[in-house]
Amino acid sequence: MTSKWIHNFNAGPAALPLEVLEDIQTHFLNYGGSGMSITEISHRSKWFDDIINDAVARTKRLLNIGDDFRVLFLQGGASLQFCMIPMNFLADGQSADYVDTGTWSTKAIKEAQSMNKTVRVAASSADRNYIYIPGDISFDPAAAYVHITSNNTIKGTQWPQYPATSGTPLVADMSSDIMSRPFDVAPFGLIYAGAQKNIGPSGVCMVIVREDMLKNIPDNLPTMLNYNTYAAKNSMYNTPPCFGVYTVQLVLKWLEETIGGLDKMAAINAAKAGKLYAFLDASDFYRATAEPGSRSLMNVTFRLAAEELEKRFVEEALAHDLGGLKGHRSVGGCRASIYNATTMEAVETLLDFMQDFAAKNG
Ligand SMILES: Cc1ncc(COP(=O)(O)O)c(C=O)c1O
């Protein structure tokens, strides 16, 4: 139990910008002069209409995308997308290429296969425990789409640039690095991201889909599993995750108006991660686990000499107000998740602690 704030390095749900949390707090009981909390107003109201439209408009501006893309908000997390994508875009007789870069890609592949869809694993980094992003991949030119996970939250790897697919639509799970850097959306048919790492709370998943992808969706899908249901009704066929969309809108506003856009955000993220990796590389007490060239700027994974020492590191860090540094339970070790909202000050405080801990235990 602590009554003060800590530096939050959790992998997700994760840190949100303090300004956003304060904004929510200030307006929580009376949203926009409505006399009601944001959690109480109708999704059919003008207030919520303005919120969702602003969130869509800001997403398009931040990512520099035009009207050939739709921005949708769904429930069910990124995990629901693992089945919706093949259901909507992979017809019988078609095959899709997937790149397996660890836990979340593996789950996406298994989910497609569980529906008897034809999936080809075009490349995998399983041979070296997913510590790198595969290069020189040759994709099936007939594939319906190519699926990648842009940032591998658990293994701490990230695509430094996206693979060339010669016109085959890229489909990307960007749950843990959406809005962390600018990129060209043109090769993408669909991008999805559970909000709870970089853009909001859990309970809302952002989907950015190219209009033409919506044309060939089979019409016999269950209503809530068909992207057209959301596209036709501005994500409000049924009650959307209102509080989640509202928070996303505020985070996007913060990105545009306080940070100054994704070029600026990317520079800050590169500086934060750069400091951490430089420290790890110079240390013989800590060891970064991901291969240089494939390292994530969002989730910095590292090991100490023994599990017992790692356990002590995580506990002592928390006693110093540095939370969430335990690696994912499936891989062990340590992980500092340094999403957009994690400040340089938090990273520097962590580095000071790591230095002290190494001096005392090395
Ligand atoms: C890259 C990635 N994809 C998918 C998921 C699953 O997201 P959700 O819990 O929203 O289903 C996660 C969660 O940590 C993730 O990091």
Side-chain angles (χ1 to χ4, degrees):
M1 269 288 267
T2 176
S3 57
K4 52 191 175 180
W5 297 350
I6 63 168
H7 290 300
N8 180 359
F9 295 95
N10 274 312
L16 286 170
L18 183 59
E19 293 93 318
V20 168
L21 296 176
E22 285 172 342
D23 192 335
I24 292 170
Q25 187 179 44
T26 304
H27 300 105
F28 195 66
L29 296 184
N30 183 356
Y31 178 76
S34 66
M36 295 174 280
S37 167
I38 180 65
T39 55
E40 299 175 310
I41 63 173
S42 168
H43 59 294
R44 306 285 174 212
S45 64
K46 167 99 171 61
W47 294 292
F48 190 73
D49 222 32
D50 288 348
I51 288 170
I52 200 164
N53 289 337
D54 191 54
V56 169
R58 288 186 187 278
T59 302
K60 288 186 165 181
R61 278 201 300 272
L62 280 159
L63 291 172
N64 195 20
I65 57 182
D67 287 337
D68 46 340
F69 282 86
R70 298 296 303 273
V71 179
L72 311 174
F73 297 99
L74 278 67
Q75 303 190 44
S79 299
L80 185 65
Q81 301 303 307
F82 297 164
C83 76
M84 278 183 73
I85 288 159
M87 280 172 111
N88 282 256
F89 305 126
L90 196 49
D92 289 345
Q94 284 186 312
S95 165
D97 274 3
Y98 278 65
V99 182
D100 183 14
T101 50
T103 315
W104 299 110
S105 332
T106 313
K107 284 196 181 196
I109 292 165
K110 287 207 176 118
E111 191 76 348
Q113 288 170 335
S114 76
M115 293 180 292
N116 294 321
K117 299 286 184 181
T118 309
V119 164
R120 190 181 79 109
V121 179
S124 166
S125 48
D127 59 338
R128 280 191 285 132
N129 199 21
Y130 299 111
I131 61 164
Y132 72 104
I133 298 290
D136 291 332
I137 307 170
S138 104
F139 293 108
D140 173 4
Y145 59 85
V146 169
H147 181 282
I148 61 167
T149 311
S150 60
N151 182 74
N152 299 283
T153 326
I154 294 175
K155 301 289 181 179
T157 62
Q158 185 177 28
W159 289 78
Q161 61 269 324
Y162 297 123
T165 57
S166 312
T168 306
L170 260 176
V171 170
D173 176 356
M174 293 199 185
S175 293
S176 49
D177 67 353
I178 186 115
M179 301 288 176
S180 69
R181 57 183 179 179
F183 62 93
D184 176 16
V185 290
F188 289 88
L190 185 141
I191 292 160
Y192 63 102
Q196 67 271 18
K197 295 158 200 306
N198 235 354
I199 52 170
S202 63
V204 56
C205 181
M206 178 185 276
V207 172
I208 302 168
V209 59
R210 215 167 60 205
E211 284 278 357
D212 64 304
M213 299 284 289
L214 297 170
K215 296 213 171 84
N216 297 319
I217 294 176
D219 50 21
N220 61 350
L221 295 179
T223 311
M224 295 304 288
L225 299 179
N226 186 326
Y227 289 113
N228 278 320
T229 301
Y230 300 85
K233 300 280 183 189
N234 198 21
S235 305
M236 291 187 282
Y237 168 78
N238 72 331
T239 318
C242 297
F243 182 74
V245 174
Y246 165 65
T247 310
V248 169
Q249 182 223 2
L250 294 181
V251 171
L252 299 176
K253 184 168 182 258
W254 169 83
L255 270 170
E256 277 197 297
E257 296 174 14
T258 305
I259 298 296
L262 294 194
D263 283 321
K264 296 236 169 75
M265 193 68 255
I268 296 169
N269 286 332
K272 288 184 295 182
K275 277 206 169 181
L276 262 172
Y277 285 119
F279 173 80
L280 292 170
D281 287 342
S283 162
D284 49 16
F285 185 81
Y286 303 97
R287 178 178 58 84
T289 56
E291 202 169 270
S294 298
R295 288 171 168 178
S296 169
L297 303 192
M298 301 277 99
N299 310 98
V300 178
T301 48
F302 55 97
R303 305 275 342 206
L304 280 67
E307 280 182 24
E308 179 49 39
L309 198 55
E310 289 170 344
K311 192 164 169 274
R312 194 136 45 85
F313 171 81
V314 171
E315 283 166 7
E316 281 189 30
L318 186 56
H320 285 79
D321 299 334
L322 300 159
L325 290 162
K326 194 168 181 294
H328 190 268
R329 60 192 181 282
S330 64
V331 292
C334 302
R335 170 176 56 178
S337 295
I338 49 169
Y339 300 117
N340 287 352
T342 306
T343 58
M344 180 59 99
E345 186 209 338
V347 170
E348 283 169 350
T349 310
L350 172 62
L351 284 172
D352 286 346
F353 168 76
M354 289 174 78
Q355 218 147 18
D356 280 358
F357 189 84
K360 284 187 193 129
N361 295 279

